[in-house]
Amino acid sequence: MIFDFFSDNPINTVKTSALMTVESVINKALEYDPATQNAVGELAGKVLAIECTLPPLTFYAVHSETDISLLGQYEGEADTTLRGSSLSLATLAIDGQDRVSFFDTGVEVRGDHDLLRQIRKILKNLDIDWEAALSQLIGDVPAHLIGESLRTSAKWQKDAMERASSAAAEFSQEEVRLTPSKNEVEHFNGEVKHLANDVDRLAARINKLNVILDKKSQDQAGSNTSSNKNNDAS
Amino acid sequence: MADNNTAMTNDKTTHFGFKTVPVEEKASRVADVFHSVAGKYDLMNDLMSGGIHRLWKRYTIELSGARTGHRILDIAGGTGDLTAKFSKLVGPTGEVVLADINDSMLKVGRDKLVDKGYASNVRYAQADAQYLPFPDNTFDCITIAFGLRNVTDKDLALRSMNRILKPGGRLLVLEFSKPTNGMLEKAYDFYSFSLLPKIGGLVANDTESYQYLAESIRMHPDQETLKEMMNEAGFVNTEYHNMTGGIVALHRGFKP
């Protein structure tokens, strides 16, 4: 018997529980991103089969008008089937590139490729309102305060990174003179370019002189030959 | 018939838990139990099963084969857990009918589903599983979760379900059954008869109803008997899957 918690196949129980949990998290997140929820709704009735080879696991994402159901078994035919390792499947889900073909991703795609493109587009544009989600748990004001402090903290972090980078460059260029400044590099590049042009011009001039010298020596050789003939004749 | 040995002790009496009552009284007694527990049915299910009933129902959905455009009947649908999921799977071109004999349960289920936005493809019917008020060959799938044991004449109900299924359609019966492990059975008995009525008393203020639930589970046919009853009612390829060590079993049969 399958699906017996105590004896025969506990993996099925773990699989069903895991799919239920993931489905619940996805659908909860969709509630806080109405644009994505609408985009998912446009795929209503479409079924994506995911065959993970490592670890071996097959499940189906059935799209409805408002959410997604993750089922361990599905008796109909999936519109699109993805087959690959968990790593390659995850990479494909998050890489965010607009792909025409999926041949170099390590994931075998069967069926409707356009469905996969639409799902990847949805994942790329995912923008969950975490503050709204948090406010359901702890109330509007605390959620806003936490949201504000997280946003401030993120901004401070970004500014601090930029400041640290700028300070490090200044120290290296001005204090210890370990690296040149941007202006110095540009000036040096300009001079190198100028020198390269001069060298090119000099090479052209030398080339021109060589041509003249060759011509002169050929003329001289010609005149010597004719004078020798005259002498012989006389 | 198998039901003669399990549900009815003779022509005029039947089981109501461990009690023997006149046949005509069982429906009203069961109705009283569910009128009493309807308001806290979901909470009690979670408490009684530790939330595992969600997994049992999820597995039922997976074996239902429900997909876009299907018509599904959820008998004894209670507070609509299965109906909600089916509603999404069958989409706007399909239809789910939530049926329950008990109007309190049906009201709680309808309010819950409407509040959650399930409206376009869900219908409601107060119906007796023994005399289902639908035309022949109507549904792609019928489910009855934790309801069959409360039906007075189970054979009649199974035949009624067979009649309204489309050929090739399937019946899924999710019901408490007989644990396959002796130790588990003892622990389960202790839980059912000692703890469950107390939990019912504390949470729903109704010890007797939960005492009945425990007793009715023991009086319900075991896995093989129910499978045989389904075969006799006209189902084929009948099979069952034990869950949680046989505490619950999911039977599935197809209409030929």
Side-chain angles (χ1 to χ4, degrees):
Chain A
M1 307 285 171
I2 59 169
F3 207 70
D4 191 313
F5 289 101
F6 293 107
S7 55
D8 295 329
N9 196 349
I11 297 297
N12 273 327
T13 309
V14 174
K15 178 181 165 184
T16 304
S17 312
L19 287 176
M20 271 178 72
T21 308
V22 173
E23 176 190 302
S24 159
V25 169
I26 290 173
N27 290 331
K28 205 72 196 162
L30 284 177
E31 285 177 21
Y32 297 105
D33 185 359
T36 301
Q37 196 173 33
N38 283 343
V40 167
E42 285 171 17
L43 303 179
K46 299 277 186 185
V47 180
L48 175 72
I50 295 166
E51 297 175 5
C52 184
T53 50
L54 191 71
L57 170 74
T58 298
F59 63 95
Y60 301 84
V62 183
H63 296 76
S64 72
E65 285 182 325
T66 51
D67 59 16
I68 295 170
S69 299
L70 298 182
L71 302 178
Q73 298 185 43
Y74 183 76
E75 292 184 13
E77 197 171 326
D79 296 278
T80 309
T81 302
L82 305 183
R83 184 181 164 81
S85 67
S86 54
L87 190 67
S88 52
L89 287 166
T91 308
L92 181 65
I94 59 171
D95 76 353
Q97 291 178 38
D98 291 327
R99 290 177 179 278
V100 176
S101 166
F102 301 97
F103 81 97
D104 59 343
T105 56
V107 176
E108 180 190 330
V109 184
R110 297 196 302 273
D112 180 5
H113 284 220
D114 195 47
L115 173 64
L116 181 58
R117 284 193 197 93
Q118 288 180 65
I119 291 170
R120 293 181 77 243
K121 194 174 164 191
I122 288 170
L123 287 171
K124 192 178 164 186
N125 296 331
L126 201 62
D127 181 20
I128 297 161
D129 185 354
W130 294 109
E131 192 176 305
L134 195 61
S135 71
Q136 296 288 318
L137 293 173
I138 58 172
D140 288 347
V141 175
H144 181 66
L145 288 173
I146 291 174
E148 271 299 299
S149 53
L150 286 175
R151 275 190 291 273
T152 310
S153 158
K155 189 173 180 300
W156 180 86
Q157 213 167 14
K158 192 180 163 202
D159 290 348
M161 284 299 288
E162 281 171 4
R163 275 200 304 274
S165 161
S166 163
E170 197 177 319
F171 178 77
S172 166
Q173 290 162 10
E174 307 296 335
E175 302 297 328
V176 295
R177 304 293 298 171
L178 199 64
T179 53
S181 70
K182 190 182 172 190
N183 288 341
E184 283 171 331
V185 171
E186 280 174 359
H187 179 69
F188 177 73
N189 282 344
E191 291 206 321
V192 168
K193 213 177 271 180
H194 190 69
L195 181 63
N197 288 340
D198 286 351
V199 169
D200 286 346
R201 271 195 294 273
L202 184 62
R205 199 171 180 81
I206 290 169
N207 202 25
K208 196 176 174 186
L209 287 171
N210 275 337
V211 171
I212 294 168
L213 283 172
D214 286 349
K215 201 177 175 187
K216 275 191 176 173
S217 56
Q218 279 173 7
D219 289 349
Q220 201 167 4
S223 62
N224 287 343
T225 312
S226 61
S227 63
N228 286 342
K229 279 181 184 172
N230 290 339
N231 290 340
D232 291 345
S234 61
Chain B
M1 286 193 291
D3 191 53
N4 290 341
N5 300 324
T6 54
M8 296 190 196
T9 52
N10 59 44
D11 286 345
K12 294 182 180 174
T13 61
T14 186
H15 299 296
F16 176 74
F18 290 161
K19 296 180 191 126
T20 301
V21 296
V23 164
E24 60 273 16
E25 263 186 36
K26 176 159 177 172
S28 64
R29 283 185 175 233
V30 171
D32 288 344
V33 167
F34 283 91
H35 283 310
S36 168
V37 302
K40 293 191 173 170
Y41 189 73
D42 283 342
L43 175 65
M44 282 304 297
N45 276 346
D46 278 333
L47 283 173
M48 280 158 47
S49 70
I52 296 174
H53 72 101
R54 293 168 198 279
L55 280 171
W56 299 333
K57 288 173 182 169
R58 171 56 68 113
Y59 192 60
T60 307
I61 284 159
E62 290 190 352
L63 288 198
S64 72
R67 53 184 185 270
T68 308
H70 274 188
R71 295 188 84 185
I72 295 177
L73 174 63
D74 180 13
I75 302 174
T79 53
D81 288 349
L82 289 175
T83 298
K85 198 70 194 168
F86 282 137
S87 165
K88 289 176 182 173
L89 290 174
V90 302
T93 55
E95 185 180 55
V96 187
V97 178
L98 171 61
D100 205 301
I101 194 171
N102 188 286
D103 67 322
S104 296
M105 293 296 288
L106 202 60
K107 278 176 191 161
V108 171
R110 185 176 55 194
D111 288 350
K112 186 175 144 188
L113 290 170
V114 170
D115 285 351
K116 288 187 173 179
Y118 298 98
S120 63
N121 62 357
V122 180
R123 306 278 176 274
Y124 302 89
Q126 187 174 356
D128 184 339
Q130 300 167 113
Y131 311 100
L132 290 163
F134 302 100
D136 296 359
N137 309 321
T138 304
F139 294 98
D140 297 284
C141 176
I142 297 176
T143 58
I144 177 164
F146 306 113
L148 190 63
R149 72 176 187 282
N150 299 313
V151 175
T152 308
D153 187 341
K154 295 175 184 63
D155 279 324
L156 186 59
L158 290 171
R159 284 199 300 276
S160 177
M161 292 173 208
N162 189 278
R163 178 183 65 78
I164 62 171
L165 266 177
K166 290 177 185 172
R170 67 188 73 186
L171 168 67
L172 292 156
V173 180
L174 180 65
E175 191 53 271
F176 291 104
S177 205
K178 188 174 167 54
T180 50
N181 180 297
M183 290 285 285
L184 177 65
E185 189 170 11
K186 284 194 175 114
Y188 180 51
D189 279 346
F190 172 75
Y191 171 76
S192 303
F193 293 110
S194 302
L195 294 180
L196 181 60
K198 283 179 186 162
I199 296 173
L202 283 171
V203 178
N205 199 23
D206 186 357
T207 307
E208 280 183 16
S209 292
Y210 287 91
Q211 182 74 34
Y212 161 72
L213 289 181
E215 291 176 5
S216 67
I217 289 165
R218 297 308 184 282
M219 298 308 293
H220 186 67
D222 65 14
Q223 289 89 330
E224 284 296 333
T225 310
L226 181 55
K227 184 181 168 185
E228 192 51 39
M229 287 166 70
M230 286 175 70
N231 287 336
E232 285 183 21
F235 291 95
V236 296
N237 295 335
T238 314
E239 59 179 356
Y240 64 85
H241 303 283
N242 279 333
M243 294 188 267
T244 319
I247 288 175
V248 164
L250 175 64
H251 284 70
R252 179 169 69 167
F254 294 83
K255 179 175 177 176

